[in-house]
Amino acid sequence: MSSGAPNAVVRRAQRGDILLVTIDNPPVNALGADVRAGLLAAIEAADADPAVAAVLIAGSGRTFIGGADIREFGKPPLPPALPDVCNRIEACTKPVVAAIHGPALGGGLEVALAAHYRIALPAAKLGLPEVQLGLLPGAGGTQRTPRLVGAAAALEMMLSGRHLGAAEAHKLGLIDRLASEGDPIEAGLAYARELLAQGAPVRRTRDANALQDRAAQTAAIEAARLETAKKSRGLFSPLKIVEAVQGAVDLPFDEGLALERKLFLACLDSPQRAGLVHAFFAEREAAKSPETQSSQPRPIARIGVVGGGTMGAGIAVSCLDAGLPVTMIERDDEALARGRANVDKVYAGLVAKGRMTEDARAAVMARWNGSTAYDALADADLVIEAVFEDMDVKKAVFAQLDRVCKPGAVLATNTSYLDIDALAASIARPQDVIGLHFFSPANIMKLLEIVVPAEVAPDVVATAFALAKKLRKTPVRAGVCDGFIGNRILAVYRQAADAMMEDGASPYQIDKAVRDFGFPMGPYQMSDLAGGDIGWATRKRRAPTRDPRARYVQIADRLCERGWFGQKTGRGYYLYEGGARTGTPDPEVDAIVDAERERAGVTPRSFTDEEIMRRYMAAMINEGARVVAEKIALRPLDVDVTFVHGYGFPRYRGGPMKYADTVGLPQVLADIRAFAKEDPLFWQPAPLLVELVERGADFASLNQTK
Ligand code: 3H9
């Protein structure tokens, strides 16, 4: 695209003496090469044309500009570069106005900041979310924002990545004018005319003076540096953001821009950027399934939840938060009162912290209904069963649902492991039965595994995805198997961890290695948090079908036999004295581990943290490959999204399958083959992994993402 001509994605229209420049690049007006060229050309044309007195930049559709085109990152750069485009906009000799009516994010806000005046409509959302992609604002954002709003506010925006509403942005000084609801272009034109009538000058953000009080700016930067070093452990770009803002305070504008460019390129090259961008696209791809493409969801206005325990209550809160009315079923009045209390306690906590008003709590609780009679679910559009994890108990619930629910109601089970095909086959309407696997606490955790049994109707699957969207969950489509995507893979890498524990690594060393890798907690802390009894029940259930040749580490059973289930019992792998939430290592556990090693005839050896992670990740990746090959996960990216959102996998590494690609599949396979020398049964390479290595391919090749 030559930079002299208008193009299809940047339209120009003369409105009196104002040149209206509209970006029309669906879906979000991202600043791809054509848009950049079009903007540059428009500004040059405006400068050269005596008939133009001012320029108005606007976005078509719902978005002003969603930022740089994320798909271009990691590819050879295409001119013109966005910083140059922004500088050219700022250098324009005629007033340039930006009319912001929707998201103006990242490079989108940077374009607006390069304009001389900004007007925003009520739906505007302004933010610099680059940090969430492992980047920093790289088109002048780190230099212009502090000059406009001061270092503290600029750092807060850039380090949190949060979106500011129009009113807040106005208060902060990020925009000059708030417009009321209406046509953004008309509002922008009126503002531009007003400016012209006043003889308003070209006003460049590079000359703005919010950084004058140097001592205050430096103090704000120091505070941010300390806070970031603590809070953003392991992350690359946040400290670079602080450094760039330091440059804004210390350096002349052009030198600050050069520093920003250098730091931006370092971020762009980092594996964290690749991991985070992968996660961004993966979660959007995962939210699509063959069924959402082919069918329309059924309407969902009323929700039923069977069971008011931890899961049932969490699910109810999640639905209530989304504005849906919920009817909860429990077996007797006492259990129902407990269920209601479990729900109410969440809101009471918010009120106590000042995050919710009493009135708002009352309004939410007014949407909650309870009953001990299933007939109360007669008009529910979707019912989620969250009772005890036992097939007979669940079948009994489903028999009741079959009896009372209206035709077409979606009947969902929140099982973590059980065979949903068998559950569906136990009633007369298997086409309406689906799995909705929430993660605890269900009102907080983002992941929702949508488990698709063989007989389910496609529009029921589409309805489950629509529900996930309403609940602001991150959905992943999973097939039926023991544990679906997440828990099935978890069971395998837990076995790898247990084997290392028996072979000589302490549970505390393993947890630390896993935390240092970027997980918020290690597998034994996680077990203590979830309750060791849950895994114990699963192991007992699986015992009859376990391969008798398979290694079975019994340490967890020894703890459970003592009633040490973790936090809730005051001890598990760790000690939780006086109700503490953070455990301390327990010498008695060390003694039990020693005794088990002896019983198993193992001579303990030492492990480096690196070896621990190699084994841990190899087990996760190998089982991930099986899950993909069996179509339990549609693509490797579905495994990645599951682990990032449900299992604390560090987002900046993209997910286990992305991580495997980063390490290189030949390396992962070589590790597995080396480990197989000790335990060939456990460390059998997944055929898909072998095949990909033989073809010289990677997991990304199976993702078909853009
Ligand atoms: C940056 O700007 C760097 C600069 O500082 C420096 C450069 C030198 N690019 O989320 P949705 C796609 S970094 C390409 O479902 P919504 C998305 O994949 C960037 N594609 O919609 C999806 O595609 P598909 C800083 C993008 O209405 C479709 O658009 N900006 C981009 O719920 C719809 O997306 C950001 O980080 C993009 N920038 O939300 C903002 N953005 O239909 C990232 C979206 O094929 N974007 N797509 O699946 C967002 O936060 C949301 O997309 C937005 C709309 C709020 C804009």
Side-chain angles (χ1 to χ4, degrees):
M1 173 77 44
S2 92
S3 64
N7 61 39
V9 291
V10 180
R11 293 194 311 261
R12 294 181 213 164
Q14 190 77 25
R15 297 288 183 90
D17 56 358
I18 298 169
L19 182 68
L20 169 62
V21 179
T22 309
I23 301 167
D24 187 4
N25 186 27
V28 300
N29 295 335
L31 294 157
D34 282 0
V35 175
R36 298 195 300 273
L39 273 173
L40 191 64
I43 295 295
E44 272 166 3
D47 252 345
D49 186 348
V52 173
V55 181
L56 177 67
I57 301 179
S60 159
R62 286 191 300 128
T63 312
F64 173 68
I65 303 174
D69 187 339
I70 302 172
R71 291 187 182 93
E72 286 183 2
F73 295 150
K75 298 187 185 147
L78 293 166
L82 190 58
D84 298 338
V85 175
C86 288
N87 290 341
R88 186 63 190 88
I89 293 172
E90 191 173 58
C92 186
T93 54
K94 299 166 183 176
V96 182
V97 177
I100 304 169
H101 70 295
L105 301 175
L109 181 55
E110 290 174 298
V111 166
L113 294 178
H116 306 138
Y117 296 92
R118 288 159 290 281
I119 179 169
L121 281 87
K125 290 266 173 270
L126 293 87
L128 294 167
E130 285 88 343
V131 70
Q132 285 155 6
L133 300 172
L135 291 168
L136 50 79
T142 66
Q143 306 303 301
R144 290 193 179 94
T145 319
R147 280 177 166 76
L148 209 52
V149 301
L155 280 164
E156 195 277 325
M157 278 181 75
M158 289 186 244
L159 292 170
S160 71
R162 82 186 167 92
H163 302 177
L164 280 59
E168 187 183 359
H170 185 237
K171 212 164 134 199
L172 212 57
L174 215 49
I175 55 172
D176 304 292
R177 174 69 63 91
L178 273 179
S180 47
E181 211 81 59
D183 179 19
I185 290 180
E186 289 314 321
L189 287 172
Y191 183 43
R193 278 187 214 111
E194 192 185 313
L195 289 167
L196 286 175
Q198 288 167 2
V202 160
R203 192 194 56 174
R204 302 194 166 101
T205 309
R206 65 165 66 205
D207 302 325
N209 59 8
L211 291 179
Q212 266 176 350
D213 179 355
R214 280 200 53 157
Q217 307 307 321
T218 307
I221 291 171
E222 267 329 295
R225 199 190 308 275
L226 284 176
E227 169 97 358
T228 303
K230 241 192 316 177
K231 261 182 37 192
S232 307
R233 192 175 64 98
L235 292 177
F236 185 74
S237 77
L239 282 171
K240 305 282 174 223
I241 289 175
V242 178
E243 204 180 325
V245 174
Q246 177 88 63
V249 173
D250 293 344
L251 302 172
F253 185 78
D254 288 329
E255 285 176 39
L257 274 190
L259 174 68
E260 175 192 90
R261 187 74 190 153
K262 190 182 96 185
L263 296 170
F264 178 79
L265 292 177
C267 292
L268 196 63
D269 274 348
S270 76
Q272 294 195 357
R273 190 276 305 156
L276 288 164
V277 167
H278 172 79
F280 176 88
F281 286 120
E283 56 209 19
R284 282 164 178 75
E285 279 307 303
K288 299 167 193 160
S289 79
E291 295 86 356
T292 58
Q293 314 289 311
S294 69
S295 359
Q296 287 302 315
R298 298 180 187 176
I300 19 176
R302 305 187 157 277
I303 304 286
V305 174
V306 184
T310 310
M311 276 324 278
I315 293 167
V317 169
S318 187
C319 296
L320 291 168
D321 284 348
L324 291 161
V326 172
T327 300
M328 179 180 277
I329 302 293
E330 260 294 2
R331 61 184 173 283
D332 54 39
D333 288 337
E334 208 180 303
L336 189 59
R338 263 200 312 273
R340 186 192 151 96
N342 284 340
V343 171
D344 192 43
K345 157 170 105 195
V346 173
Y347 296 112
L350 292 178
V351 171
K353 282 188 209 132
R355 290 182 19 213
M356 188 180 217
T357 63
E358 272 298 350
D359 285 355
R361 171 188 176 182
V364 171
M365 286 310 289
R367 288 200 295 277
W368 182 94
N369 269 299
S371 177
T372 54
Y374 278 88
D375 302 82
L377 297 179
D379 63 353
D381 300 304
L382 185 147
V383 180
I384 305 166
E385 162 280 307
V387 301
F388 186 64
E389 190 76 342
D390 176 280
M391 186 56 109
D392 291 336
V393 177
K394 292 200 189 272
K395 278 186 178 164
V397 170
F398 270 73
Q400 291 295 329
L401 298 180
D402 202 5
R403 181 178 65 79
V404 302
C405 289
K406 66 184 181 188
V410 173
L411 309 181
T413 171
N414 174 55
T415 179
S416 312
Y417 291 97
L418 299 179
D419 181 351
I420 304 179
D421 283 323
L423 188 59
S426 73
I427 63 168
R429 36 173 135 171
Q431 74 281 1
D432 295 331
V433 176
I434 192 158
L436 288 179
H437 182 207
F438 289 80
F439 288 70
S440 186
N443 53 317
I444 308 238
M445 294 290 285
K446 285 277 164 233
L447 181 65
L448 181 64
E449 270 183 308
I450 295 178
V451 191
V452 179
E455 298 293 323
V456 70
D459 64 343
V460 168
V461 182
T463 310
F465 276 89
L467 177 74
K469 188 161 187 190
K470 263 201 170 127
L471 304 187
R472 295 165 173 266
K473 298 282 181 207
T474 305
V476 172
R477 186 190 191 282
V480 175
C481 70
D482 198 339
F484 317 130
I485 298 176
N487 282 344
R488 169 167 161 181
I489 297 173
L490 165 68
V492 174
Y493 66 80
R494 245 313 280 273
Q495 276 180 50
D498 287 351
M500 288 189 274
M501 178 160 62
E502 195 172 68
D503 284 342
S506 85
Y508 314 117
Q509 187 196 356
I510 294 171
D511 278 350
K512 180 176 178 305
V514 169
R515 279 198 309 274
D516 287 348
F517 181 85
F519 283 86
M521 63 180 90
Y524 300 107
Q525 290 171 292
M526 173 132 148
S527 161
D528 275 5
L529 182 66
D533 48 332
I534 297 175
W536 197 24
T538 308
R539 291 194 299 279
K540 285 190 211 158
R541 177 169 56 76
R542 286 181 178 155
T545 53
R546 191 181 300 130
D547 185 335
R549 297 166 305 158
R551 178 173 181 180
Y552 181 72
V553 175
Q554 300 180 25
I555 298 167
D557 296 345
R558 293 297 92 80
L559 301 191
C560 289
E561 285 154 12
R562 288 168 168 78
W564 298 357
F565 295 149
Q567 277 190 27
K568 62 183 172 192
T569 57
R571 70 195 300 181
Y573 289 93
Y574 294 80
L575 279 172
Y576 302 87
E577 266 154 344
R581 280 170 164 242
T582 320
T584 49
D586 182 351
E588 283 189 57
V589 169
D590 283 328
I592 293 169
V593 173
D594 279 341
E596 280 301 303
R597 287 174 184 153
E598 213 172 301
R599 189 194 54 74
V602 172
T603 312
R605 68 172 178 94
S606 66
F607 285 80
T608 61
D609 290 1
E610 197 227 333
E611 184 180 1
I612 289 173
M613 284 321 295
R614 273 176 108 121
R615 286 173 181 262
Y616 200 71
M617 288 311 306
M620 198 182 296
I621 294 161
N622 203 34
E623 191 64 10
R626 288 185 207 284
V627 158
V628 171
E630 290 171 28
K631 293 270 172 254
I632 299 299
L634 288 182
R635 300 145 299 195
L637 67 83
D638 295 283
V639 177
D640 287 337
V641 175
T642 302
F643 275 84
V644 167
H645 288 282
Y647 295 81
F649 193 93
R651 184 179 172 86
Y652 64 82
R653 295 188 192 272
M657 313 314 270
K658 169 71 182 172
Y659 175 75
D661 281 352
T662 311
V663 172
L665 300 192
Q667 174 69 59
V668 176
L669 182 58
D671 277 353
I672 291 171
R673 287 187 167 142
F675 305 149
K677 294 199 178 105
E678 295 157 21
D679 185 347
L681 191 64
F682 180 78
W683 290 107
Q684 288 178 58
L688 176 62
L689 181 60
V690 176
E691 183 209 311
L692 289 172
V693 171
E694 279 168 2
R695 286 202 280 123
D698 57 11
F699 286 123
S701 66
L702 307 176
N703 278 336
Q704 299 162 326
T705 45
K706 288 141 276 184

Coordinates of all heavy atoms in Angstrom, one line a residue, residues 129-159:
P129 N -3.3 -1.8 27.9 CA -3.3 -3.2 28.4 C -2.1 -4.0 27.9 O -2.0 -5.2 28.0 CB -4.6 -3.8 27.9 CG -4.8 -3.1 26.6 CD -4.2 -1.7 26.7
E130 N -1.1 -3.3 27.3 CA 0.1 -4.1 26.7 C 0.7 -5.0 27.7 O 1.2 -6.1 27.3 CB 1.1 -3.1 26.2 CG 0.7 -2.4 24.9 CD 0.0 -1.1 25.1 OE1 -0.6 -0.9 26.2 OE2 -0.1 -0.3 24.1
V131 N 0.7 -4.7 29.0 CA 1.4 -5.5 30.0 C 0.8 -6.9 29.9 O 1.5 -7.9 30.2 CB 1.3 -4.9 31.4 CG1 -0.2 -4.9 31.9 CG2 2.2 -5.5 32.4
Q132 N -0.5 -7.0 29.6 CA -1.1 -8.3 29.6 C -0.7 -9.2 28.4 O -0.9 -10.4 28.4 CB -2.7 -8.2 29.6 CG -3.2 -7.8 30.9 CD -4.5 -7.0 30.9 OE1 -5.2 -6.9 29.8 NE2 -5.0 -6.6 32.0
L133 N 0.0 -8.6 27.5 CA 0.6 -9.3 26.4 C 2.1 -9.4 26.5 O 2.8 -9.7 25.5 CB 0.2 -8.6 25.0 CG -1.3 -8.5 24.8 CD1 -1.6 -7.6 23.6 CD2 -1.9 -9.8 24.6
G134 N 2.6 -9.0 27.6 CA 4.1 -9.1 27.8 C 4.8 -7.9 27.2 O 6.0 -8.0 27.0
L135 N 4.1 -6.8 26.9 CA 4.7 -5.7 26.2 C 4.6 -4.4 27.1 O 4.0 -4.4 28.2 CB 3.9 -5.4 24.9 CG 4.1 -6.5 23.8 CD1 3.0 -6.3 22.7 CD2 5.5 -6.4 23.2
L136 N 5.0 -3.3 26.5 CA 4.8 -2.0 27.1 C 4.2 -1.1 25.9 O 4.4 -1.5 24.8 CB 6.0 -1.4 27.7 CG 7.3 -1.4 26.9 CD1 7.4 -0.3 25.9 CD2 8.5 -1.2 27.9
P137 N 3.5 -0.1 26.3 CA 3.0 0.8 25.2 C 4.2 1.3 24.4 O 5.1 1.9 25.0 CB 2.3 2.0 26.0 CG 2.0 1.4 27.3 CD 3.1 0.4 27.6
G138 N 4.2 1.0 23.1 CA 5.4 1.2 22.3 C 5.3 2.3 21.2 O 6.1 2.4 20.4
A139 N 4.2 3.0 21.3 CA 4.0 4.1 20.3 C 3.9 5.4 21.0 O 3.0 6.2 20.7 CB 2.8 3.8 19.4
G140 N 4.7 5.6 22.0 CA 4.8 6.9 22.7 C 3.9 6.9 24.0 O 4.0 7.9 24.7
G141 N 3.2 5.8 24.2 CA 2.4 5.8 25.4 C 3.1 6.0 26.7 O 2.6 6.6 27.6
T142 N 4.3 5.4 26.8 CA 5.0 5.6 28.1 C 5.6 7.0 28.3 O 5.9 7.3 29.4 CB 6.2 4.6 28.2 OG1 7.2 5.0 27.2 CG2 5.8 3.1 28.0
Q143 N 5.6 7.7 27.2 CA 6.2 9.1 27.3 C 5.0 10.1 27.4 O 5.1 11.1 28.1 CB 7.1 9.4 26.1 CG 8.2 8.4 26.0 CD 9.1 8.3 27.2 OE1 9.7 9.2 27.7 NE2 9.2 7.1 27.8
R144 N 4.0 9.9 26.6 CA 2.9 10.9 26.5 C 2.0 10.8 27.7 O 1.6 11.8 28.3 CB 2.1 10.8 25.2 CG 2.9 11.2 24.0 CD 2.1 11.4 22.7 NE 2.9 11.8 21.6 CZ 3.5 11.0 20.7 NH1 3.3 9.7 20.8 NH2 4.2 11.5 19.7
T145 N 1.7 9.6 28.1 CA 0.7 9.4 29.2 C 1.2 10.1 30.5 O 0.4 10.9 31.1 CB 0.4 7.9 29.5 OG1 0.3 7.3 28.2 CG2 -0.9 7.8 30.3
P146 N 2.4 9.9 30.9 CA 2.9 10.6 32.1 C 2.9 12.1 32.0 O 2.6 12.8 32.9 CB 4.3 10.1 32.4 CG 4.5 9.0 31.4 CD 3.4 8.9 30.4
R147 N 3.2 12.6 30.8 CA 3.2 14.0 30.6 C 1.8 14.6 30.7 O 1.7 15.8 31.1 CB 3.8 14.4 29.2 CG 5.3 14.3 29.2 CD 5.9 14.6 27.8 NE 7.3 14.8 27.8 CZ 8.3 13.9 28.0 NH1 8.0 12.6 28.2 NH2 9.6 14.3 28.0
L148 N 0.8 13.8 30.5 CA -0.5 14.3 30.5 C -1.2 14.1 31.9 O -1.9 15.0 32.4 CB -1.4 13.5 29.5 CG -2.6 14.1 28.8 CD1 -2.2 15.5 28.3 CD2 -3.1 13.2 27.8
V149 N -0.9 13.0 32.6 CA -1.6 12.7 33.8 C -0.6 12.4 35.0 O -1.1 12.1 36.1 CB -2.5 11.4 33.6 CG1 -3.5 11.7 32.5 CG2 -1.7 10.1 33.4
G150 N 0.6 12.6 34.8 CA 1.6 12.3 35.9 C 2.0 10.9 35.9 O 1.4 10.0 35.4
A151 N 3.2 10.7 36.6 CA 3.8 9.3 36.6 C 2.9 8.3 37.3 O 2.8 7.2 36.9 CB 5.2 9.4 37.1
A152 N 2.4 8.7 38.5 CA 1.7 7.7 39.3 C 0.5 7.2 38.6 O 0.3 5.9 38.5 CB 1.2 8.4 40.6
A153 N -0.4 8.1 38.0 CA -1.6 7.6 37.3 C -1.2 6.8 36.0 O -1.8 5.8 35.7 CB -2.5 8.8 37.0
A154 N -0.2 7.3 35.3 CA 0.3 6.6 34.1 C 0.8 5.2 34.4 O 0.4 4.2 33.8 CB 1.3 7.4 33.4
L155 N 1.5 5.1 35.5 CA 2.1 3.8 35.9 C 0.9 2.8 36.3 O 0.9 1.6 36.0 CB 3.1 3.9 37.0 CG 4.5 4.3 36.6 CD1 5.3 4.8 37.8 CD2 5.2 3.2 35.9
E156 N 0.0 3.4 37.0 CA -1.1 2.5 37.5 C -1.9 2.0 36.3 O -2.2 0.8 36.2 CB -2.1 3.4 38.4 CG -3.1 2.6 39.2 CD -4.3 2.2 38.4 OE1 -4.8 2.9 37.6 OE2 -4.8 1.1 38.6
M157 N -2.1 2.8 35.3 CA -2.8 2.3 34.1 C -2.0 1.3 33.3 O -2.5 0.3 32.9 CB -2.9 3.5 33.1 CG -4.1 4.4 33.3 SD -4.1 5.7 32.1 CE -4.8 4.8 30.6
M158 N -0.7 1.5 33.2 CA 0.1 0.6 32.4 C 0.5 -0.7 33.1 O 0.6 -1.7 32.5 CB 1.5 1.3 32.0 CG 1.3 2.4 31.0 SD 2.8 3.1 30.5 CE 2.7 4.7 31.1
L159 N 0.6 -0.6 34.4 CA 0.9 -1.8 35.2 C -0.3 -2.7 35.4 O -0.2 -3.9 35.5 CB 1.6 -1.5 36.5 CG 3.0 -0.9 36.3 CD1 3.6 -0.3 37.6 CD2 4.0 -1.9 35.7

